[in-house]
Amino acid sequence: MTLEDETDVDLVLRARGGEDRAFTTLMRRHKPSLYGFVRRYVGDADAAVDVVQETLVAAWKALARFDDRRAFPVWLRAIALNKCRDRARRLAVRRFILGEKDDQSPEAQAQADPAPDGEESIVSAQRRAIVQKAVDRLPIKLKEPLLLTYFDELTQQEAALLLGVTVKTVETRVYRARQQLAELIDRSAI
């Protein structure tokens, strides 16, 4: 049996025992979906790479505290969610103190990086920018459950556990988020 064939819990136990390759296997297994979650949350590819790296370092440091009764991907998302929140707070403070504009916003990225492959890909990039801008404008209490359940495909129960709320709260917030998202997108559409 190779490391690739082992369960997440077995890999965590091996990593706790000092086997670095086990942790590398875990990260290789979960990094793509983790990146997708973080990318949707922060709205910028470069910032997402940084947040994912911070998450992986934090996961390594906290590995001894992992509760093997929880799903490893959910535990990893909890760390990533906290890193995303930390980044958002740092950016808000920076903007407040320095009065900086956000160069990493989806609309700034879309203007700086137009699609080179014809009208169809330009329209697609514009649609993605509109959706990302709308997601970014959602209140945090609606944005987080939406990202976790709709985009990251966690169950409502897993999202509730991660966010520390009830399943009904997640259900309600996702419903409201989708309503607000639709309204924001409708206002942005030309």
Side-chain angles (χ1 to χ4, degrees):
M1 179 186 275
T2 67
L3 287 177
E4 297 294 330
D5 299 325
E6 296 205 20
T7 67
D8 288 345
V9 172
D10 291 337
L11 290 171
V12 167
L13 293 173
R14 285 176 172 257
R16 283 180 183 162
E19 194 172 329
D20 293 341
R21 289 179 347 148
F23 187 74
T24 300
T25 302
L26 267 174
M27 294 307 102
R28 194 176 313 120
R29 183 179 291 171
H30 296 289
K31 191 174 179 179
S33 62
L34 183 67
Y35 173 80
F37 167 71
V38 172
R39 172 69 172 90
R40 285 184 292 276
Y41 193 101
V42 301
D44 173 67
D46 293 332
V49 169
D50 292 341
V51 172
V52 167
Q53 290 304 320
E54 290 174 23
T55 300
L56 299 181
V57 169
W60 173 254
K61 290 178 180 178
L63 205 54
R65 294 189 309 268
F66 171 69
D67 178 1
D68 60 4
R69 293 173 296 185
R70 288 181 71 185
F72 185 79
V74 174
W75 179 76
L76 202 54
R77 292 291 182 298
I79 295 171
L81 185 60
N82 286 329
K83 296 300 176 187
C84 289
R85 290 171 176 167
D86 291 346
R87 179 183 181 278
R89 281 190 290 273
R90 285 192 309 269
L91 286 177
V93 168
R94 175 185 282 160
R95 281 189 220 115
F96 178 75
I97 292 173
L98 302 176
E100 288 183 356
K101 216 176 148 190
D102 186 3
D103 294 339
Q104 303 302 323
S105 68
E107 59 274 10
Q109 291 293 315
Q111 290 172 356
D113 221 2
D117 298 326
E119 186 177 331
E120 197 172 298
S121 54
I122 290 172
V123 170
S124 178
Q126 289 172 339
R127 284 184 187 145
R128 281 193 308 273
I130 288 169
V131 171
Q132 184 63 54
K133 183 179 179 182
V135 169
D136 289 344
R137 292 182 61 198
L138 288 174
I140 200 78
K141 289 196 180 269
L142 300 182
K143 178 180 178 178
E144 290 174 352
L146 179 73
L147 289 175
L148 290 169
T149 58
Y150 186 73
F151 292 105
D152 212 33
E153 299 178 355
L154 292 183
T155 66
Q156 289 183 350
Q157 187 172 10
E158 290 170 328
L161 180 63
L162 201 149
L163 296 170
V165 297
T166 67
V167 174
K168 186 64 177 171
T169 300
V170 168
E171 181 181 327
T172 301
R173 288 179 181 175
V174 167
Y175 175 78
R176 289 181 183 158
R178 291 179 77 183
Q179 281 183 319
Q180 283 190 23
L181 194 59
E183 291 170 13
L184 289 167
I185 290 171
D186 283 345
R187 280 189 241 148
S188 298
I190 298 173

